[in-house]
Amino acid sequence: MFVDRAKIIIKSGKGGNGAVTFRREPFVPEGGPDGGDGCKGGDVIFMADASLRTLMDFRYKKKYEAENGQDGMKKKRFGKNAEDLIIKVPPGTVVIDEETGLVMKDLVKAGDSFVAARGGKGGKGNVHFKNSVRQAPNFAEAGGFAKERNVILELKLIADVGLIGFPNVGKSTILSVSTNSNPKIANYHFTTITPNLGVVEIFNDGFVMADIAGIIEGAHQGAGLGHKFLKHIERTKVLIHVVDISGSEGRDPIEDFDKINNELRLYNEKLALKPQIVAANKMDMVSADDPKYLEFKAYIEAKGMKVFPVSAPIHEGIHELMAEAAAILHRLELETPEEEEQYEFFDFERDDVEEDFKEVYTSVADDGTYVIEGKQLKKIFDSTNFNDSGSLRYLYKYIEKKGALEELKRMGLEEGDIIRVFDYEFEYIEEF
């Protein structure tokens, strides 16, 4: 089964906590601190792997978690950093952040990779908190936060040439007779419900061609197979527009041609600007001097495009059609390549890019309790030993330094009121 879209949850590893340990030496308070640092949590990395063709694996497994970093140990020891989690996807996969809708990375080529969620930093051991006043710190720093993110994986086929046109005009037959592909072929609409790829070998060279099915009037709004297939045209360099010149289903070839191109333009203006070759298929049902064919040929050539009369089942005109596609591809390779659109996505959980990471926020809860919150505050809170006065003083000094108490006073804080810092509550007492 061809799967080209999936939603998954990724979570990086939490950083290891710093250790609170003491060495044993005579005449040294509690032996002296020697707690080692915690280790970094694992990153979540997406990598394009040429051996993969679909996103099938992500239908069954929805959550991917990297390892947590190891906690620090005594004698200033720390373990190795956690292993990164590498998630392999097919080349052509676009990774999108579901919350913001931003493209995180477009993994076009095999080997392309990027870090989608960074692991938390390791916390410092208590040896770092020793000073001239605090000789035996009974607290250490907690490890950095893990990052959890919902992402959308969207696969866009990588093909040089795309076959487009209304259903049942013969696209799959053209693909089957010109490549090594074996698509499903039948005389009804939407025979092709998944994209098919094949390699055209011509002039001691070759190119990849895809049958882009499911496009009808209204496809840009999701009609038919709509967006499911239109997105696969975006990476193609040349389009072969297949038209049923016989009008065997009662449609007009010129109207068919205009409707499909209109759908391309409405979906993405750039698609309508791609080089097009027109294949007038089912010529075995009309003659070369048929007025309908001649009118169609004149209409298309007036737009600056070439028309190739084709009868796919008997291979008539197929070689000439593929030769023209190869020639256009060759010309495009000689031209200056258009710069691909680059996306920038920042992991806002990183300390060095998130401006408000060290900010403290104050509010008043419905029950009248005064609340203090903040991401860096949470990290310090998790590091606090509430049975140690030095550790509590470190937490209090941080809150005071950030101006949280002054802000609460402006909000009406008075002596005897309750202040809540996460799940810890204390009574506020004025100092004199």
Side-chain angles (χ1 to χ4, degrees):
M1 179 183 293
F2 184 86
V3 179
D4 58 3
R5 185 179 175 86
K7 291 183 181 181
I8 63 172
I9 301 170
I10 59 173
K11 186 177 181 181
S12 63
K14 177 184 176 299
N17 298 320
V20 180
T21 60
F22 299 90
R23 66 181 185 272
R24 303 302 176 189
E25 292 183 17
F27 311 114
V28 178
E30 297 194 47
D34 71 346
D37 297 344
C39 301
K40 179 183 175 296
D43 296 338
V44 178
I45 300 173
F46 282 97
M47 178 180 291
D49 185 338
S51 67
L52 300 176
R53 290 290 180 268
T54 80
L55 301 174
M56 171 67 79
D57 292 346
F58 302 101
R59 289 195 65 178
Y60 305 106
K61 185 177 179 182
K62 295 293 186 181
K63 189 163 186 176
Y64 296 79
E65 297 185 41
E67 295 179 353
N68 293 330
Q70 187 177 356
D71 293 341
M73 296 172 282
K74 61 183 180 180
K75 297 183 179 179
K76 302 180 183 178
R77 291 180 300 166
F78 54 89
K80 66 176 182 178
N81 293 330
E83 293 288 336
D84 294 333
L85 174 62
I86 299 177
I87 302 176
K88 295 183 179 180
V89 296
T93 300
V94 181
V95 184
I96 303 168
D97 178 59
E98 185 177 32
E99 182 180 357
T100 63
L102 294 175
V103 172
M104 300 172 70
K105 187 71 174 181
D106 191 353
L107 301 169
V108 180
K109 303 185 296 296
D112 286 353
S113 65
F114 84 108
V115 178
R118 297 184 182 276
K121 296 178 181 178
K124 295 179 181 178
N126 67 336
V127 68
H128 294 278
F129 298 96
K130 177 184 176 182
N131 55 35
S132 58
V133 176
R134 188 193 304 119
Q135 293 292 312
N138 198 26
F139 62 96
E141 185 181 33
F145 304 116
K147 171 60 182 176
E148 184 171 315
R149 173 174 281 135
N150 293 342
V151 300
I152 298 171
L153 304 178
E154 190 169 270
L155 176 60
K156 297 180 180 179
L157 290 182
I158 299 176
D160 301 303
V161 177
L163 292 165
I164 61 172
F166 269 89
N168 209 29
V169 295
K171 297 185 297 298
S172 296
T173 304
I174 291 176
L175 183 71
S176 69
V177 300
S178 57
T179 73
N180 55 359
S181 178
N182 187 28
K184 181 180 179 181
I185 300 172
N187 188 29
Y188 55 82
H189 289 195
F190 298 110
T191 308
T192 303
I193 58 174
T194 62
N196 291 305
L197 287 174
V199 178
V200 177
E201 296 181 356
I202 189 168
F203 305 137
N204 296 319
D205 200 355
F207 58 84
V208 178
M209 187 162 67
D211 173 7
I212 311 296
I215 303 176
I216 61 173
E217 190 173 12
H220 73 282
Q221 297 176 325
L225 296 175
H227 295 161
K228 181 176 174 65
F229 283 97
L230 278 168
K231 65 186 176 186
H232 293 301
I233 306 176
E234 294 183 36
R235 297 193 194 278
T236 58
K237 301 172 185 176
V238 178
L239 298 177
I240 296 179
H241 195 147
V242 184
V243 177
D244 178 3
I245 195 63
S246 71
S248 60
E249 297 193 351
R251 296 196 309 266
D252 181 73
I254 292 178
E255 288 183 6
D256 281 5
F257 176 84
D258 287 340
K259 285 178 180 178
I260 291 295
N261 276 289
N262 187 52
E263 291 304 317
L264 298 184
R265 185 168 50 254
L266 291 173
Y267 178 75
N268 186 334
E269 191 71 35
K270 291 182 179 180
L271 298 187
L273 301 177
K274 289 181 181 290
Q276 275 191 43
I277 312 167
V278 180
N281 195 25
K282 304 187 182 182
M283 281 296 295
D284 53 311
M285 300 175 67
V286 298
S287 62
D289 56 357
D290 187 294
K292 182 183 294 185
Y293 169 67
L294 295 176
E295 180 188 6
F296 177 78
K297 186 172 184 292
Y299 180 79
I300 299 303
E301 289 178 345
K303 293 181 176 293
M305 302 179 193
K306 290 185 178 181
V307 178
F308 288 80
V310 170
S311 180
I314 58 175
H315 295 217
E316 183 180 322
I318 296 297
H319 179 78
E320 292 78 6
L321 181 65
M322 296 302 118
E324 178 66 14
I328 294 177
L329 286 172
H330 181 66
R331 287 200 301 270
L332 292 175
E333 289 175 359
L334 296 177
E335 295 174 1
T336 304
E338 181 182 352
E339 291 189 7
E340 294 184 4
E341 184 176 0
Q342 297 294 319
Y343 300 98
E344 292 291 339
F345 184 90
F346 297 99
D347 183 352
F348 291 109
E349 290 302 311
R350 292 177 57 192
D351 301 4
D352 56 343
V353 298
E354 184 174 2
E355 295 181 358
D356 70 343
F357 183 83
K358 296 183 179 180
E359 293 300 318
V360 171
Y361 303 96
T362 56
S363 61
V364 181
D366 293 339
D367 60 1
T369 302
Y370 291 85
V371 180
I372 305 177
E373 299 173 298
K375 292 182 178 178
Q376 177 67 6
L377 176 61
K378 173 63 175 172
K379 188 174 181 180
I380 295 174
F381 177 83
D382 290 342
S383 308
T384 301
N385 180 349
F386 290 92
N387 295 316
D388 180 80
S389 59
S391 182
L392 280 170
R393 190 178 302 112
Y394 187 85
L395 173 64
Y396 177 81
K397 289 294 183 183
Y398 177 82
I399 294 173
E400 186 179 45
K401 181 180 178 181
K402 289 296 179 181
L405 292 179
E406 290 300 320
E407 180 61 28
L408 289 180
K409 288 178 182 178
R410 284 193 290 271
M411 298 169 67
L413 177 67
E414 297 179 351
E415 186 169 5
D417 288 338
I418 301 299
I419 298 177
R420 182 165 64 239
V421 182
F422 302 105
D423 57 358
Y424 184 80
E425 294 185 350
F426 60 92
E427 183 180 345
Y428 176 65
I429 301 174
E430 289 277 4
E431 292 183 350
F432 296 99

